Amino acid sequence: MKLVRFGAPGSERPGLIDAEGKLRDLSYHVPDITGHHLSDEALARIASIDVKTLSLIEEEVRFGPPISSVGKMICVGLNYTDHAKEAGLAIPTEPLLFLKGCSPTGPNDAIAMPPNATHCDWEVELAIVIGKHGLHIDQAHALEHVAGYCVLNDFTEREFQLNRAGQWTKGKSFPGFSPLGPWLVTRDEVREPGKLRLWLDVNGTRRQDGSTQNLIFDVPFMVAYLSQFMALNPGDIIATGTPAGVGAGHKPDPIFLTDGDCISLGIEGLGTQTQHIVAWEKRPKPWL
């Protein structure tokens, strides 16, 4: 299934994308899509609904983040061999972890740069959505704890991240820095999360073009590994890292985003996103 939330910010309704790619309204059956609706049992109940009985939404709508009330956003840094190489850093022997301290936004919402930001950068990532509580999960059963997968832009202000001391979280957590979606694709439709192509364009120029085959630590390993240090709960998100091609790694000189730029990104089978970058003073009102 492809589960979505659609409508104005703060007033999204649950829906799904049918076999013909059309949007159907789920709000008669579930009030929203939260961690409570991501268990295998809850997803099976949604899957059992006769899609033809769901109202067809034919007008153009905004897609919000496909999950409401997200719990933790846990990120894995330098998790692609090519990205570690472009950063000039050694391949990690254990996953490098940090937290992203902002709520997800819609996949096509504008991104407002923080005041005085000068080093805004892009990162297309595969996001794992947890559907079942787990602690000290056996790697052999790790995927049983996964509800599905999404596209994530792990948007970053590099000067905040690298030059302001401390953890990377500072550069990852400004409101709007986590576009998620357009939909949550349940794990039964993503048979091989380690073989997905992912890409990102800036102003029509391809900047990232990679594959999850180049992950240093794969999906089952990351789920099991993280559960050694913290409980994973339904609605938690794991951002799995980005391939080579970020602006900070561009040679001979880095490239950073500015007012008016446009980012387009996607992952095979998981949909696409488009965001326009706006200066802080041009941010949509009301802001997040």
Side-chain angles (χ1 to χ4, degrees):
M1 286 187 297
K2 294 182 176 69
L3 298 177
V4 302
R5 297 172 66 250
F6 64 97
S11 300
E12 292 94 345
R13 289 150 54 191
L16 61 77
I17 304 298
D18 67 18
E20 297 179 352
K22 296 180 179 179
L23 173 60
R24 300 277 182 164
D25 191 345
L26 267 177
S27 56
Y28 179 80
H29 297 272
V30 293
D32 205 345
I33 299 171
T34 70
H36 297 297
H37 305 96
L38 299 179
S39 68
D40 286 351
E41 295 77 16
L43 292 174
R45 286 193 293 272
I46 295 173
S48 69
I49 299 169
D50 183 355
V51 174
K52 294 179 181 178
T53 66
L54 301 175
S55 297
L56 185 64
I57 307 299
E58 298 188 275
E59 67 270 21
E60 185 174 345
V61 297
R62 167 190 174 267
F63 285 109
I67 311 153
S68 178
S69 303
V70 166
K72 301 182 290 295
M73 291 194 70
I74 313 151
C75 303
V76 183
L78 294 178
N79 197 26
Y80 281 76
T81 53
D82 54 359
H83 181 47
K85 182 178 179 181
E86 77 172 349
L89 298 170
I91 299 295
T93 56
E94 288 195 54
L96 303 176
L97 305 181
F98 60 93
L99 297 178
K100 202 166 174 74
C102 56
S103 298
T105 49
N108 304 313
D109 292 347
I111 299 176
M113 297 185 296
N116 302 316
T118 57
H119 291 70
C120 287
D121 204 349
W122 57 84
E123 294 190 12
V124 59
E125 304 203 8
L126 172 68
I128 305 166
V129 180
I130 298 299
K132 176 183 175 182
H133 172 84
L135 186 64
H136 281 279
I137 298 168
D138 187 318
Q139 186 173 336
H141 298 285
L143 293 184
E144 297 171 15
H145 294 262
V146 174
Y149 305 89
C150 298
V151 181
L152 172 73
N153 184 357
D154 178 19
F155 201 81
T156 305
E157 214 295 342
R158 299 292 183 194
E159 198 269 335
F160 293 0
Q161 177 194 12
L162 302 173
N163 299 331
R164 299 294 294 273
Q167 299 290 329
W168 290 353
T169 297
K170 288 180 182 178
K172 302 283 188 171
S173 301
F174 200 76
F177 275 22
S178 297
L180 187 71
W183 37 70
L184 164 66
V185 182
T186 52
R187 76 169 188 271
D188 59 299
E189 292 195 8
V190 187
R191 298 294 186 182
E192 296 186 280
K195 293 185 178 180
L196 300 177
R197 180 171 168 258
L198 60 173
W199 65 91
L200 183 144
D201 297 342
V202 179
N203 299 327
T205 298
R206 182 62 42 95
R207 295 298 182 187
Q208 292 184 278
D209 194 353
S211 169
T212 55
Q213 288 181 304
N214 291 324
L215 282 168
I216 297 167
F217 305 106
D218 65 14
V219 170
F221 180 90
M222 284 187 281
V223 172
Y225 180 86
L226 286 167
S227 74
Q228 297 177 41
F229 307 101
M230 63 192 82
L232 297 179
N233 297 306
D236 286 350
I237 292 174
I238 302 170
T240 58
T242 196
V246 299
H250 185 266
K251 302 294 188 296
D253 299 306
I255 300 173
F256 296 112
L257 296 162
T258 190
D259 180 43
D261 285 339
C262 180
I263 307 173
S264 298
L265 59 148
I267 301 179
E268 178 184 2
L270 303 185
T272 61
Q273 303 181 355
T274 298
Q275 295 112 29
H276 288 88
I277 308 303
V278 297
W280 177 248
E281 59 272 15
K282 296 180 182 178
R283 67 193 183 279
K285 307 286 178 40
W287 187 234
L288 304 172

